[in-house]
Amino acid sequence: MVGGAGLVYPQGWPCPELTWWITPDFRRQGLAMELSKAVVGFGYDHLEWDAVRTYMNDENIPARRLVEKLGGVFEKRRSFPDGLDRNIYILPQSS
């Protein structure tokens, strides 16, 4: 196992989201990008969502960079049940 990605909707959170993780030895190889594109496509193509979103802690710079590379667009800032405020991004459907 080198990592994973999926769509989750934790109870009490404002919306479902794309999430991913890669073990340290396999980071910076493009795996998170590939996984994320596949999951975003699944959200649009198979679940027929009108938007696939993601959010992360402000200090998670690598995640924010990946969202930017995926073409993520800032939607809004929200407070979450864990007491943190986060930016929510909409990820575009791949062409």
Coordinates of all heavy atoms in Angstrom, one line a residue:
M1 N 0.9 -1.2 0.0 CA 0.0 0.0 0.0 C 0.9 1.2 0.0 O 1.8 1.4 0.8 CB -0.9 0.0 1.2 CG -1.8 1.2 1.4 SD -3.2 1.2 0.3 CE -4.2 0.0 1.0
V2 N 0.7 2.1 -1.0 CA 1.4 3.3 -1.0 C 0.6 4.6 -0.8 O 1.1 5.7 -0.6 CB 2.1 3.5 -2.4 CG1 3.1 2.4 -2.7 CG2 1.1 3.6 -3.5
G3 N -0.7 4.4 -0.7 CA -1.6 5.5 -0.4 C -3.0 5.2 -0.8 O -3.3 4.0 -1.2
G4 N -3.8 6.2 -0.8 CA -5.2 6.0 -1.2 C -5.9 7.4 -1.5 O -5.4 8.4 -1.1
A5 N -7.0 7.3 -2.1 CA -7.9 8.5 -2.3 C -9.3 8.0 -2.4 O -9.6 6.9 -2.7 CB -7.5 9.2 -3.6
G6 N -10.2 9.0 -2.1 CA -11.6 8.6 -2.1 C -12.5 9.8 -1.8 O -12.0 11.0 -1.6
L7 N -13.8 9.6 -1.8 CA -14.7 10.6 -1.5 C -15.3 10.3 -0.1 O -15.8 9.2 0.1 CB -15.8 10.7 -2.5 CG -15.3 11.0 -3.9 CD1 -16.4 10.7 -5.0 CD2 -14.9 12.5 -4.0
V8 N -15.3 11.2 0.8 CA -15.8 11.0 2.2 C -16.8 12.1 2.5 O -16.7 13.2 2.0 CB -14.7 10.9 3.2 CG1 -13.8 9.7 2.9 CG2 -13.9 12.2 3.3
Y9 N -17.6 11.8 3.5 CA -18.6 12.8 4.0 C -18.8 12.6 5.5 O -19.7 12.0 5.9 CB -19.9 12.6 3.3 CG -20.9 13.8 3.4 CD1 -22.0 13.8 2.7 CD2 -20.6 14.9 4.2 CE1 -22.9 14.9 2.8 CE2 -21.5 16.0 4.3 CZ -22.6 15.9 3.6 OH -23.5 17.0 3.7
P10 N -17.8 13.1 6.3 CA -17.9 12.9 7.7 C -19.1 13.5 8.3 O -19.5 14.6 7.9 CB -16.6 13.6 8.3 CG -15.7 13.6 7.1 CD -16.6 13.8 5.9
Q11 N -19.7 12.8 9.3 CA -20.9 13.3 9.9 C -20.7 14.7 10.5 O -19.7 15.0 11.2 CB -21.4 12.4 11.0 CG -22.7 12.8 11.6 CD -23.2 11.7 12.5 OE1 -22.7 10.6 12.6 NE2 -24.3 12.0 13.3
G12 N -21.6 15.6 10.2 CA -21.6 17.0 10.7 C -20.7 17.9 9.9 O -20.7 19.1 10.2
W13 N -20.0 17.5 8.9 CA -19.2 18.3 8.0 C -20.0 18.9 6.9 O -21.1 18.4 6.6 CB -18.0 17.5 7.5 CG -17.0 17.2 8.6 CD1 -17.3 16.5 9.7 CD2 -15.7 17.6 8.7 NE1 -16.2 16.4 10.5 CE2 -15.2 17.1 10.0 CE3 -14.8 18.3 7.9 CZ2 -13.9 17.3 10.4 CZ3 -13.5 18.5 8.4 CH2 -13.1 18.0 9.6
P14 N -19.6 20.1 6.3 CA -20.5 20.8 5.4 C -20.8 20.1 4.1 O -21.8 20.4 3.4 CB -19.9 22.1 5.3 CG -18.4 21.9 5.6 CD -18.4 20.8 6.6
C15 N -19.9 19.3 3.6 CA -20.1 18.7 2.3 C -19.1 17.5 2.2 O -18.1 17.4 2.9 CB -19.8 19.7 1.2 SG -18.2 20.4 1.3
P16 N -19.5 16.6 1.2 CA -18.5 15.5 0.9 C -17.3 16.1 0.3 O -17.3 17.2 -0.3 CB -19.3 14.6 0.0 CG -20.3 15.4 -0.6 CD -20.6 16.5 0.4
E17 N -16.2 15.3 0.4 CA -14.9 15.9 -0.2 C -14.0 14.8 -0.8 O -14.1 13.6 -0.3 CB -14.2 16.6 0.8 CG -13.5 15.8 1.9 CD -12.2 16.3 2.4 OE1 -11.5 17.2 1.8 OE2 -11.8 15.9 3.5
L18 N -13.2 15.2 -1.7 CA -12.1 14.4 -2.1 C -11.0 14.4 -1.1 O -10.7 15.4 -0.5 CB -11.5 14.9 -3.4 CG -10.1 14.4 -3.8 CD1 -10.1 13.0 -4.2 CD2 -9.5 15.3 -4.9
T19 N -10.5 13.2 -0.7 CA -9.4 13.2 0.2 C -8.4 12.2 -0.3 O -8.7 11.3 -1.1 CB -9.9 12.8 1.6 OG1 -8.8 12.9 2.6 CG2 -10.4 11.3 1.7
W20 N -7.1 12.3 0.1 CA -6.0 11.4 -0.4 C -4.9 11.4 0.7 O -4.8 12.3 1.5 CB -5.5 11.9 -1.7 CG -4.8 13.2 -1.6 CD1 -3.5 13.5 -1.3 CD2 -5.4 14.5 -1.8 NE1 -3.2 14.8 -1.3 CE2 -4.4 15.5 -1.6 CE3 -6.7 15.0 -2.1 CZ2 -4.6 16.9 -1.7 CZ3 -6.9 16.3 -2.2 CH2 -5.9 17.2 -2.0
W21 N -4.1 10.4 0.6 CA -2.9 10.3 1.4 C -1.9 9.4 0.7 O -2.3 8.5 0.0 CB -3.2 9.7 2.8 CG -3.9 8.3 2.8 CD1 -5.2 8.0 2.7 CD2 -3.2 7.1 2.9 NE1 -5.4 6.7 2.7 CE2 -4.1 6.1 2.8 CE3 -1.8 6.7 2.9 CZ2 -3.8 4.7 2.8 CZ3 -1.5 5.4 3.0 CH2 -2.5 4.4 2.9
I22 N -0.7 9.7 0.8 CA 0.4 8.9 0.2 C 1.5 8.7 1.3 O 1.8 9.7 2.0 CB 1.0 9.7 -1.0 CG1 0.0 10.1 -2.0 CG2 2.2 8.9 -1.6 CD1 -0.6 8.9 -2.7
T23 N 2.0 7.5 1.5 CA 3.0 7.3 2.5 C 4.3 8.1 2.1 O 4.5 8.3 0.9 CB 3.4 5.8 2.6 OG1 3.8 5.3 1.3 CG2 2.2 5.0 3.0
P24 N 5.0 8.5 3.1 CA 6.2 9.4 2.9 C 7.2 8.9 1.8 O 7.7 9.7 1.0 CB 6.9 9.5 4.2 CG 5.7 9.3 5.2 CD 4.8 8.3 4.5
D25 N 7.4 7.6 1.7 CA 8.4 7.1 0.8 C 8.0 7.2 -0.7 O 8.8 7.1 -1.6 CB 8.7 5.6 1.0 CG 9.6 5.4 2.3 OD1 10.1 6.4 2.8 OD2 9.7 4.3 2.8
F26 N 6.7 7.5 -0.9 CA 6.1 7.5 -2.3 C 5.6 8.9 -2.7 O 5.0 9.0 -3.7 CB 5.1 6.4 -2.5 CG 5.6 5.0 -2.4 CD1 5.6 4.3 -1.2 CD2 6.2 4.4 -3.5 CE1 6.2 3.1 -1.1 CE2 6.7 3.2 -3.4 CZ 6.7 2.5 -2.2
R27 N 5.9 9.9 -1.9 CA 5.4 11.2 -2.2 C 6.3 11.8 -3.3 O 7.4 11.4 -3.5 CB 5.4 12.1 -0.9 CG 4.4 11.7 0.0 CD 4.4 12.5 1.3 NE 3.4 11.9 2.2 CZ 3.4 12.1 3.5 NH1 4.3 12.9 4.1 NH2 2.5 11.6 4.3
R28 N 5.8 12.8 -4.0 CA 6.5 13.6 -5.0 C 6.7 12.7 -6.3 O 7.7 12.9 -6.9 CB 7.8 14.2 -4.5 CG 7.6 15.2 -3.4 CD 8.9 15.9 -3.0 NE 8.6 17.0 -2.2 CZ 8.4 18.2 -2.6 NH1 8.5 18.5 -3.9 NH2 8.2 19.2 -1.8
Q29 N 5.8 11.8 -6.5 CA 6.0 11.0 -7.7 C 4.7 11.1 -8.6 O 4.6 10.4 -9.6 CB 6.2 9.5 -7.3 CG 7.4 9.3 -6.5 CD 7.6 7.8 -6.2 OE1 7.2 6.9 -6.9 NE2 8.3 7.6 -5.1
G30 N 3.8 12.0 -8.2 CA 2.6 12.2 -9.0 C 1.5 11.3 -8.7 O 0.4 11.3 -9.4
L31 N 1.6 10.4 -7.7 CA 0.6 9.5 -7.4 C -0.7 10.2 -6.8 O -1.8 9.8 -7.2 CB 1.1 8.5 -6.3 CG 2.2 7.6 -6.8 CD1 2.8 6.8 -5.6 CD2 1.8 6.7 -7.9
A32 N -0.5 11.2 -6.0 CA -1.7 11.9 -5.5 C -2.5 12.5 -6.6 O -3.7 12.6 -6.6 CB -1.3 12.9 -4.4
M33 N -1.8 13.1 -7.6 CA -2.4 13.7 -8.7 C -3.2 12.7 -9.5 O -4.4 12.9 -9.9 CB -1.4 14.3 -9.6 CG -1.9 14.9 -10.9 SD -2.9 16.4 -10.7 CE -1.7 17.6 -10.5
E34 N -2.6 11.5 -9.8 CA -3.3 10.5 -10.6 C -4.5 10.0 -9.8 O -5.6 9.8 -10.4 CB -2.4 9.3 -10.9 CG -1.4 9.5 -12.0 CD -0.6 8.3 -12.3 OE1 -1.2 7.2 -12.6 OE2 0.6 8.3 -12.3
L35 N -4.3 9.7 -8.5 CA -5.5 9.2 -7.7 C -6.6 10.2 -7.7 O -7.8 9.9 -7.9 CB -5.0 8.9 -6.3 CG -4.2 7.7 -6.1 CD1 -3.5 7.7 -4.7 CD2 -5.0 6.4 -6.3
S36 N -6.2 11.5 -7.5 CA -7.2 12.5 -7.3 C -8.0 12.7 -8.6 O -9.2 12.9 -8.6 CB -6.5 13.8 -6.9 OG -6.0 13.7 -5.6
K37 N -7.3 12.7 -9.8 CA -8.0 12.8 -11.0 C -9.0 11.7 -11.2 O -10.1 11.9 -11.7 CB -7.0 12.9 -12.2 CG -6.3 14.2 -12.3 CD -5.3 14.1 -13.5 CE -4.6 15.4 -13.8 NZ -3.7 15.3 -14.9
A38 N -8.6 10.5 -10.9 CA -9.5 9.4 -11.0 C -10.7 9.5 -10.1 O -11.9 9.2 -10.6 CB -8.8 8.1 -10.7
V39 N -10.5 9.9 -8.9 CA -11.6 10.0 -8.0 C -12.6 11.2 -8.3 O -13.8 11.1 -8.3 CB -11.1 10.2 -6.5 CG1 -12.3 10.5 -5.5 CG2 -10.4 8.9 -6.1
V40 N -12.0 12.3 -8.8 CA -12.8 13.5 -9.2 C -13.7 13.0 -10.4 O -14.9 13.3 -10.5 CB -11.9 14.7 -9.6 CG1 -12.7 15.7 -10.3 CG2 -11.3 15.3 -8.3
G41 N -13.1 12.3 -11.3 CA -13.8 11.8 -12.5 C -15.0 10.9 -12.0 O -16.1 10.9 -12.6
F42 N -14.7 10.0 -11.1 CA -15.7 9.1 -10.5 C -16.9 9.9 -9.9 O -18.1 9.6 -10.2 CB -15.1 8.2 -9.5 CG -16.1 7.2 -8.9 CD1 -16.4 6.0 -9.6 CD2 -16.7 7.5 -7.7 CE1 -17.3 5.1 -9.1 CE2 -17.7 6.5 -7.2 CZ -17.9 5.4 -7.9
G43 N -16.6 11.0 -9.2 CA -17.6 11.8 -8.6 C -18.5 12.5 -9.7 O -19.7 12.5 -9.5
Y44 N -17.9 12.9 -10.7 CA -18.7 13.6 -11.8 C -19.4 12.5 -12.7 O -20.6 12.6 -13.0 CB -17.8 14.5 -12.7 CG -17.5 15.8 -12.0 CD1 -16.2 16.1 -11.7 CD2 -18.5 16.7 -11.8 CE1 -15.9 17.3 -11.1 CE2 -18.2 18.0 -11.2 CZ -16.9 18.2 -10.8 OH -16.6 19.4 -10.2
D45 N -18.6 11.5 -13.1 CA -19.1 10.6 -14.2 C -20.1 9.5 -13.6 O -21.0 9.2 -14.3 CB -18.0 10.0 -14.9 CG -17.1 11.0 -15.6 OD1 -17.6 12.1 -15.9 OD2 -15.9 10.6 -15.9
H46 N -19.8 9.0 -12.4 CA -20.5 7.9 -11.9 C -21.5 8.3 -10.8 O -22.6 7.7 -10.8 CB -19.6 6.8 -11.4 CG -18.8 6.2 -12.5 ND1 -19.3 5.3 -13.5 CD2 -17.5 6.4 -12.9 CE1 -18.4 5.0 -14.3 NE2 -17.2 5.6 -14.0
L47 N -21.1 9.2 -10.0 CA -22.0 9.7 -8.9 C -22.9 10.8 -9.4 O -23.9 11.2 -8.8 CB -21.3 10.1 -7.7 CG -20.4 9.0 -7.0 CD1 -19.7 9.5 -5.8 CD2 -21.3 7.8 -6.6
E48 N -22.5 11.4 -10.6 CA -23.2 12.5 -11.2 C -23.4 13.7 -10.3 O -24.4 14.4 -10.2 CB -24.6 12.0 -11.7 CG -24.4 11.0 -12.8 CD -25.7 10.5 -13.4 OE1 -26.8 10.8 -12.9 OE2 -25.7 9.7 -14.3
W49 N -22.3 14.0 -9.5 CA -22.3 15.2 -8.6 C -22.2 16.4 -9.5 O -21.6 16.4 -10.5 CB -21.1 15.1 -7.7 CG -21.3 14.1 -6.6 CD1 -22.3 13.3 -6.4 CD2 -20.3 13.9 -5.5 NE1 -22.0 12.5 -5.3 CE2 -20.8 12.9 -4.7 CE3 -19.1 14.5 -5.2 CZ2 -20.2 12.4 -3.6 CZ3 -18.5 14.0 -4.1 CH2 -19.0 13.0 -3.3
D50 N -22.8 17.5 -9.0 CA -22.7 18.8 -9.8 C -21.4 19.4 -9.5 O -20.9 20.3 -10.2 CB -23.9 19.7 -9.4 CG -23.9 20.1 -8.0 OD1 -23.4 19.4 -7.1 OD2 -24.5 21.2 -7.7
A51 N -20.7 19.1 -8.4 CA -19.4 19.6 -8.0 C -18.7 18.6 -7.1 O -19.3 18.0 -6.2 CB -19.6 21.0 -7.3
V52 N -17.4 18.5 -7.3 CA -16.6 17.7 -6.4 C -15.7 18.7 -5.6 O -15.1 19.6 -6.2 CB -15.7 16.7 -7.2 CG1 -14.7 16.0 -6.2 CG2 -16.5 15.7 -7.9
R53 N -15.7 18.6 -4.3 CA -15.1 19.6 -3.5 C -14.0 19.0 -2.6 O -14.0 17.7 -2.5 CB -16.1 20.3 -2.5 CG -17.1 21.1 -3.2 CD -18.2 21.6 -2.3 NE -19.0 22.6 -2.9 CZ -20.1 22.2 -3.7 NH1 -20.4 21.0 -4.0 NH2 -20.8 23.2 -4.2
T54 N -13.1 19.8 -2.1 CA -12.1 19.4 -1.2 C -11.7 20.5 -0.3 O -12.0 21.7 -0.6 CB -10.8 18.8 -1.9 OG1 -10.0 18.1 -0.9 CG2 -10.0 19.9 -2.5
Y55 N -11.2 20.2 0.9 CA -10.8 21.2 1.8 C -9.6 20.6 2.7 O -9.5 19.4 2.7 CB -11.9 21.6 2.7 CG -12.9 20.5 3.2 CD1 -12.6 19.7 4.2 CD2 -14.1 20.3 2.5 CE1 -13.4 18.7 4.6 CE2 -14.9 19.3 2.9 CZ -14.6 18.5 4.0 OH -15.5 17.5 4.4
M56 N -8.8 21.4 3.2 CA -7.7 21.0 4.0 C -7.3 22.0 5.0 O -7.7 23.2 4.9 CB -6.5 20.6 3.1 CG -5.7 21.7 2.6 SD -6.4 22.7 1.3 CE -6.8 21.6 0.0
N57 N -6.5 21.6 6.0 CA -6.0 22.5 7.0 C -5.1 23.6 6.3 O -4.4 23.3 5.3 CB -5.2 21.8 8.1 CG -6.0 20.9 8.9 OD1 -7.2 21.0 8.9 ND2 -5.4 20.0 9.6
D58 N -5.2 24.8 6.8 CA -4.4 25.9 6.1 C -2.9 25.6 6.0 O -2.3 26.0 5.0 CB -4.6 27.2 6.9 CG -6.0 27.8 6.8 OD1 -6.8 27.4 5.9 OD2 -6.4 28.6 7.6
E59 N -2.4 25.0 7.0 CA -0.9 24.7 7.0 C -0.5 23.6 6.1 O 0.7 23.3 5.9 CB -0.4 24.5 8.4 CG -0.9 23.3 9.1 CD -2.2 23.5 9.8 OE1 -2.7 24.6 9.8 OE2 -2.7 22.5 10.3
N60 N -1.4 22.9 5.4 CA -1.1 21.8 4.6 C -0.8 22.3 3.2 O -1.6 22.2 2.2 CB -2.2 20.8 4.5 CG -1.9 19.5 3.9 OD1 -0.9 19.4 3.1 ND2 -2.6 18.4 4.1
I61 N 0.4 22.9 3.0 CA 0.8 23.5 1.8 C 0.9 22.5 0.6 O 0.4 22.8 -0.5 CB 2.2 24.2 1.9 CG1 2.1 25.2 3.1 CG2 2.6 24.8 0.6 CD1 1.1 26.3 2.9
P62 N 1.4 21.2 0.8 CA 1.4 20.3 -0.3 C 0.0 20.0 -0.8 O -0.2 19.9 -2.0 CB 2.0 19.0 0.3 CG 2.9 19.6 1.4 CD 2.1 20.7 2.0
A63 N -1.0 19.9 0.0 CA -2.4 19.6 -0.4 C -2.9 20.8 -1.2 O -3.5 20.6 -2.2 CB -3.3 19.4 0.8
R64 N -2.6 22.0 -0.7 CA -3.1 23.2 -1.4 C -2.4 23.3 -2.8 O -3.1 23.6 -3.8 CB -2.8 24.5 -0.7 CG -3.4 25.7 -1.3 CD -3.4 27.0 -0.5 NE -3.2 26.8 0.9 CZ -2.2 27.4 1.6 NH1 -1.3 28.2 1.1 NH2 -2.1 27.2 2.9
R65 N -1.2 22.9 -2.9 CA -0.5 22.9 -4.2 C -1.2 21.9 -5.2 O -1.3 22.2 -6.4 CB 1.0 22.6 -4.1 CG 1.7 23.8 -3.5 CD 3.2 23.5 -3.5 NE 3.9 24.7 -2.9 CZ 4.9 24.5 -2.0 NH1 5.3 23.3 -1.6 NH2 5.5 25.6 -1.5
L66 N -1.5 20.7 -4.7 CA -2.2 19.7 -5.5 C -3.5 20.2 -6.0 O -3.9 20.1 -7.2 CB -2.3 18.4 -4.7 CG -3.0 17.3 -5.5 CD1 -2.3 17.0 -6.8 CD2 -3.2 16.1 -4.6
V67 N -4.3 20.9 -5.1 CA -5.6 21.4 -5.5 C -5.4 22.4 -6.6 O -6.2 22.5 -7.5 CB -6.3 22.0 -4.2 CG1 -7.5 22.8 -4.7 CG2 -6.7 20.9 -3.3
E68 N -4.4 23.3 -6.5 CA -4.1 24.3 -7.5 C -3.8 23.6 -8.8 O -4.2 24.0 -9.9 CB -3.0 25.2 -7.1 CG -3.4 26.1 -5.9 CD -2.3 26.9 -5.3 OE1 -1.1 26.7 -5.7 OE2 -2.5 27.7 -4.4
K69 N -2.9 22.6 -8.8 CA -2.6 21.8 -10.0 C -3.8 21.1 -10.6 O -3.8 21.0 -11.9 CB -1.5 20.8 -9.7 CG -0.1 21.4 -9.5 CD 0.9 20.3 -9.2 CE 2.2 20.9 -8.8 NZ 3.2 19.9 -8.4
L70 N -4.7 20.7 -9.8 CA -5.9 20.1 -10.3 C -6.9 21.1 -10.9 O -8.0 20.8 -11.4 CB -6.6 19.3 -9.2 CG -5.9 18.0 -8.8 CD1 -6.5 17.5 -7.5 CD2 -6.0 17.0 -9.9
G71 N -6.6 22.4 -10.7 CA -7.5 23.5 -11.2 C -8.6 23.9 -10.2 O -9.6 24.5 -10.6
G72 N -8.4 23.5 -8.9 CA -9.4 23.8 -7.9 C -9.6 25.3 -7.8 O -8.7 26.1 -7.9
V73 N -10.9 25.7 -7.6 CA -11.3 27.1 -7.5 C -11.9 27.3 -6.1 O -12.8 26.5 -5.7 CB -12.4 27.4 -8.6 CG1 -12.9 28.8 -8.4 CG2 -11.8 27.1 -10.0
F74 N -11.4 28.3 -5.5 CA -11.9 28.7 -4.1 C -13.4 28.9 -4.2 O -13.9 29.7 -5.1 CB -11.2 29.9 -3.6 CG -11.8 30.4 -2.3 CD1 -11.5 29.8 -1.1 CD2 -12.7 31.5 -2.3 CE1 -12.0 30.3 0.1 CE2 -13.2 32.0 -1.1 CZ -12.9 31.4 0.1
E75 N -14.2 28.3 -3.3 CA -15.6 28.5 -3.2 C -16.0 29.3 -2.0 O -16.7 30.4 -2.2 CB -16.4 27.1 -3.2 CG -17.9 27.3 -3.1 CD -18.6 26.0 -2.9 OE1 -18.1 25.0 -2.3 OE2 -19.7 25.9 -3.5
K76 N -15.6 28.9 -0.9 CA -15.9 29.7 0.4 C -15.0 29.2 1.5 O -14.4 28.1 1.4 CB -17.4 29.5 0.7 CG -17.8 28.1 0.9 CD -19.3 28.0 1.1 CE -19.8 26.6 1.0 NZ -21.2 26.5 0.9
R77 N -15.1 29.9 2.6 CA -14.4 29.5 3.8 C -15.5 29.1 4.8 O -16.5 29.9 5.0 CB -13.5 30.6 4.4 CG -12.7 30.2 5.5 CD -11.4 31.0 5.6 NE -10.6 30.7 6.8 CZ -9.6 29.8 6.7 NH1 -9.3 29.2 5.6 NH2 -8.9 29.6 7.8
R78 N -15.3 28.0 5.5 CA -16.3 27.5 6.5 C -15.6 27.1 7.8 O -14.5 26.7 7.8 CB -17.0 26.3 5.9 CG -17.9 26.5 4.8 CD -19.3 27.0 5.1 NE -20.0 26.2 6.2 CZ -20.9 25.3 6.0 NH1 -21.3 24.9 4.8 NH2 -21.4 24.7 7.1
S79 N -16.4 27.1 8.8 CA -16.0 26.6 10.1 C -16.4 25.1 10.1 O -17.5 24.8 9.6 CB -16.7 27.3 11.3 OG -16.3 28.6 11.3
F80 N -15.6 24.3 10.7 CA -15.8 22.8 10.7 C -16.1 22.4 12.2 O -15.7 23.1 13.1 CB -14.6 22.1 10.1 CG -14.6 22.2 8.6 CD1 -14.3 23.3 7.9 CD2 -15.0 21.1 7.8 CE1 -14.3 23.4 6.5 CE2 -15.0 21.1 6.4 CZ -14.7 22.3 5.8
P81 N -16.7 21.2 12.3 CA -17.0 20.7 13.7 C -15.8 20.6 14.6 O -15.9 20.6 15.8 CB -17.7 19.4 13.4 CG -18.3 19.5 12.1 CD -17.3 20.4 11.3
D82 N -14.6 20.4 14.0 CA -13.4 20.3 14.9 C -12.8 21.6 15.3 O -11.8 21.7 15.9 CB -12.3 19.5 14.1 CG -11.8 20.2 12.9 OD1 -12.3 21.3 12.5 OD2 -10.9 19.6 12.2
G83 N -13.6 22.7 15.0 CA -13.2 24.1 15.5 C -12.3 24.8 14.5 O -11.9 26.0 14.8
L84 N -11.8 24.2 13.4 CA -11.0 24.9 12.5 C -11.8 25.5 11.3 O -12.8 25.0 10.9 CB -10.0 23.9 11.9 CG -8.9 23.3 12.8 CD1 -8.1 22.3 12.1 CD2 -8.1 24.3 13.5
D85 N -11.3 26.6 10.8 CA -11.8 27.2 9.6 C -11.0 26.7 8.4 O -9.8 26.6 8.5 CB -11.8 28.7 9.6 CG -12.7 29.3 10.7 OD1 -13.7 28.6 11.1 OD2 -12.5 30.4 11.0
R86 N -11.7 26.3 7.3 CA -11.0 25.8 6.1 C -11.6 26.5 4.9 O -12.7 26.8 4.8 CB -11.1 24.3 6.0 CG -10.4 23.6 7.1 CD -10.6 22.1 6.9 NE -9.9 21.3 7.9 CZ -10.4 21.0 9.1 NH1 -11.6 21.3 9.5 NH2 -9.7 20.3 9.9
N87 N -10.7 26.6 3.8 CA -11.2 27.0 2.5 C -11.8 25.7 1.8 O -11.2 24.6 1.9 CB -10.1 27.5 1.7 CG -9.6 28.9 2.1 OD1 -10.3 29.6 2.9 ND2 -8.4 29.3 1.7
I88 N -12.9 25.9 1.2 CA -13.4 24.8 0.3 C -13.2 25.1 -1.1 O -13.4 26.3 -1.5 CB -15.0 24.6 0.6 CG1 -15.2 24.3 2.1 CG2 -15.6 23.6 -0.3 CD1 -16.6 24.2 2.5
Y89 N -12.7 24.2 -1.9 CA -12.4 24.3 -3.3 C -13.3 23.4 -4.1 O -13.5 22.2 -3.7 CB -11.0 24.0 -3.6 CG -10.0 24.9 -2.9 CD1 -9.6 24.6 -1.6 CD2 -9.5 26.0 -3.5 CE1 -8.7 25.4 -0.9 CE2 -8.6 26.8 -2.8 CZ -8.2 26.5 -1.6 OH -7.3 27.4 -0.9
I90 N -13.7 23.9 -5.3 CA -14.4 23.0 -6.2 C -13.4 22.6 -7.2 O -12.6 23.4 -7.8 CB -15.5 23.8 -6.9 CG1 -16.6 24.2 -5.9 CG2 -16.1 22.9 -8.1 CD1 -17.8 25.0 -6.5
L91 N -13.3 21.3 -7.5 CA -12.4 20.7 -8.5 C -13.1 20.5 -9.8 O -14.2 20.0 -9.8 CB -11.9 19.4 -7.9 CG -11.1 19.5 -6.6 CD1 -10.9 18.2 -6.0 CD2 -9.8 20.2 -6.9
P92 N -12.5 20.9 -10.9 CA -13.2 20.8 -12.2 C -13.2 19.4 -12.7 O -12.3 18.6 -12.3 CB -12.3 21.7 -13.1 CG -10.9 21.6 -12.5 CD -11.2 21.5 -11.0
Q93 N -14.1 19.1 -13.5 CA -14.2 17.9 -14.2 C -13.1 17.8 -15.3 O -12.9 18.8 -16.0 CB -15.6 17.7 -14.9 CG -15.9 16.3 -15.4 CD -17.3 16.2 -15.8 OE1 -18.1 17.2 -15.9 NE2 -17.7 15.0 -16.1
S94 N -12.4 16.7 -15.3 CA -11.3 16.6 -16.3 C -11.9 16.4 -17.7 O -13.0 15.9 -17.9 CB -10.5 15.3 -16.0 OG -9.8 15.5 -14.8
S95 N -11.1 16.9 -18.7 CA -11.6 16.8 -20.1 C -11.0 15.6 -20.7 O -10.1 15.0 -20.3 CB -11.3 18.0 -20.8 OG -9.9 18.4 -20.6

